[in-house]
C-alpha cells in the first residue's frame, strides 16, 4: 500500500521513529496499527528532520488483505492528529519501494523579505530574511551547483553514506515579498537542502560570492563556513517514481554506490 502524506513538522522530532519522542512515523504507525489490528511498519521516501514539513511525502507498507482505500482515508482522518494527514492510499506492485524506487525528490524552501517578517499564518513555514537580497546573484550561485557532484561540504557526515548526488534543479521564484527556492535531486544527504539554501542566501545578502559557492564543491568534508538555514522553511513537496514496469530496475540502480563522474561526463 502506498501512502501520500502531508504534515506540519513543527511539533515533530522529525520523521524517524524514536522511543519516547513524537515523530511522524511513530504517530502514523501507531494509528495504522490500531486500525489494522496488527503491527504496521512504514518505509518512507525521505526522512525529514525535526521541524521540516511535507506536502508530498510518500511511504509504503505491506498488508495481507486489501482495504477499501476511500473508507480508510476517512477513518485515518479521525484517528490522526491535525498536523498529519494521509491524502491518498492505493495498492501498488510488490516491487514498489517508497525509498529505493524514487527517481527524484522535490523540496521547496520559503523565505520572506517583508520588513515585518513572516505573516502570522505563515510563521511556521516561512523564514524571514533581509529585504534587499540580490536575487540574480542567488540564481547565479544556484546554477553553479547543478549536476552530479560531491556535496560533502553541504552534508552532515554519516558513516558509510555517500555525499555524491545529482542536483537537477535549484532555482528561485519571487511572489511579492515571498521567495521560494525549488530544489530537486535524485536523493539528498543529511541537511543538504538547508545547507544549499544557507550558502546561496549568504550570496544574496552580499556576504559571499557565487564563485565561493562553486568552490565548496572541492571540499571533501562538511564546511564550517556554510550556515544551515532554519528547518521550518523547508517542505518536501513531491517524489517522482518510474512506471510500474521499471520499478525493480530502479531499486537495483539506487542501491549502487554513486561516484563522481570524470571531467566532461554526465554532470558538467
Amino acid at each position: 500500500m502506498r501512502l501520500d502524506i502531508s504534515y506540519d513538522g513543527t511539533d515533530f522530532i522529525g520523521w524517524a521513529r524514536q522511543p519516547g519522542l513524537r515523530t511522524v512515523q511513530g504517530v502514523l504507525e501507531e494509528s495504522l496499527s490500531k486500525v489494522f489490528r496488527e503491527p504496521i511498519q512504514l518505509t518512507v521516501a525521505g526522512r525529514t528532520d525535526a521541524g521540516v514539513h511535507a506536502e508530498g511525502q510518500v511511504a509504503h507498507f505491506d498488508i495481507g488483505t486489501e482495504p477499501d482505500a476511500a473508507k480508510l482515508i476517512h477513518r485515518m482522518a479521525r484517528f490522526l492528529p491535525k498536523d498529519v494527514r494521509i491524502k491518498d492510499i492505493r495498492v501498488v506492485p510488490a516491487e514498489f519501494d517508497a525509498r529505493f524506487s524514487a527517481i527524484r525528490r522535490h523540496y521547496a524552501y520559503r523565505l520572506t523579505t517583508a520588513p515585518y517578517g513572516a505573516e502570522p499564518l505563515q510563521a511556521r513555514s516561512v523564514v524571514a530574511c533581509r529585504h534587499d537580497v540580490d536575487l540574480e546573484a542567488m540564481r547565479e550561485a544556484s546554477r553553479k551547483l547543478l549536476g552530479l557532484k560531491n556535496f560533502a561540504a553541504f552534508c552532515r557526515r554519516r558513516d558509510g553514506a555517500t555525499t555524491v548526488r545529482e542536483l537537477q534543479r535549484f532555482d528561485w521564484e519571487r511572489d511579492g515579498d515571498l521567495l521560494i527556492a525549488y530544489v530537486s535531486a535524485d536523493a539528498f544527504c543529511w541537511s543538504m537542502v538547508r545547507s544549499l539554501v544557507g550558502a546561496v542566501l549568504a550570496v544574496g545578502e552580499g556576504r559571499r560570492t557565487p564563485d565561493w559557492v562553486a568552490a565548496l564543491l572541492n571540499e571533501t568534508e562538511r564546511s564550517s563556513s556554510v550556515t544551515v538555514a532554519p528547518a521550518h522553511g523547508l517542505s518536501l513537496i513531491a517524489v517522482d517514481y518510474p512506471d510500474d514496469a521499471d520499478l525493480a530496475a530502479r531499486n537495483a540502480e539506487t542501491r549502487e554506490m554513486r561516484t563522481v563522474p570524470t571531467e566532461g561526463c554526465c554532470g558538467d
Side-chain angles (χ1 to χ4, degrees):
M1 303 298 298
R2 168 178 166 161
L3 308 179
D4 289 83
I5 305 161
S6 63
Y7 48 87
D8 177 341
T10 305
D11 297 325
F12 289 104
I13 309 299
W15 166 270
R17 185 192 319 107
Q18 299 182 56
L21 297 176
R22 187 175 190 262
T23 68
V24 183
Q25 182 180 14
V27 166
L28 284 168
E29 288 181 345
E30 180 180 0
S31 297
L32 287 164
S33 297
K34 288 179 180 178
V35 168
F36 284 99
R37 298 182 181 180
E38 64 178 271
I40 298 296
Q41 293 187 346
L42 297 175
T43 298
V44 72
R47 295 185 177 187
T48 50
D49 291 338
V52 175
H53 315 295
E55 299 155 62
Q57 180 68 277
V58 178
H60 84 264
F61 67 94
D62 298 324
I63 195 75
T65 58
E66 181 178 337
D68 183 316
K71 289 183 179 179
L72 185 56
I73 291 173
H74 285 290
R75 191 175 184 188
M76 293 308 301
R78 296 195 302 268
F79 265 82
L80 290 169
K82 292 181 179 180
D83 52 0
V84 58
R85 298 285 95 179
I86 295 176
K87 301 191 292 184
D88 191 29
I89 302 173
R90 61 184 183 272
V91 175
V92 286
E95 293 81 9
F96 179 88
D97 186 294
R99 178 186 176 192
F100 288 109
S101 300
I103 298 173
R104 66 186 61 83
R105 295 152 175 88
H106 305 276
Y107 283 86
Y109 195 95
R110 297 177 173 95
L111 296 154
T112 180
T113 59
Y116 51 80
E119 291 281 356
L121 289 178
Q122 299 176 334
R124 291 161 70 101
S125 60
V126 177
V127 174
C129 67
R130 283 173 43 173
H131 72 279
D132 58 346
V133 292
D134 186 339
L135 185 55
E136 290 308 312
M138 293 165 66
R139 287 171 171 159
E140 179 185 351
S142 298
R143 287 193 294 269
K144 291 178 179 291
L145 297 170
L146 295 174
L148 185 61
K149 317 279 189 182
N150 188 339
F151 290 93
F154 302 91
C155 298
R156 293 183 183 176
R157 186 175 181 275
R158 279 183 172 170
D159 291 339
T162 180
T163 53
V164 176
R165 295 289 186 264
E166 183 183 4
L167 188 62
Q168 300 167 352
R169 181 186 183 188
F170 189 8
D171 58 24
W172 296 80
E173 293 184 5
R174 181 191 286 275
D175 181 8
D177 292 324
L178 186 65
L179 284 181
I180 306 177
Y182 291 101
V183 190
S184 303
D186 56 341
F188 293 94
C189 49
W190 190 13
S191 85
M192 178 175 163
V193 181
R194 290 194 287 139
S195 295
L196 291 171
V197 170
V200 170
L201 188 57
V203 174
E205 293 176 343
R207 295 182 286 114
R208 299 288 187 175
T209 67
D211 287 339
W212 169 79
V213 170
L216 290 169
L217 295 171
N218 297 321
E219 301 289 335
T220 58
E221 59 184 23
R222 180 169 176 76
S223 174
S224 59
S225 63
V226 174
T227 300
V228 179
H232 70 277
L234 184 62
S235 180
L236 174 60
I237 58 174
V239 184
D240 295 342
Y241 292 94
D243 294 336
D244 290 350
D246 299 321
L247 288 170
R250 177 59 184 174
N251 295 344
E253 179 184 358
T254 303
R255 286 181 167 89
E256 293 179 0
M257 182 67 72
R258 297 176 177 85
T259 56
V260 177
T262 56
E263 185 174 358
C265 172
C266 307
D268 294 328

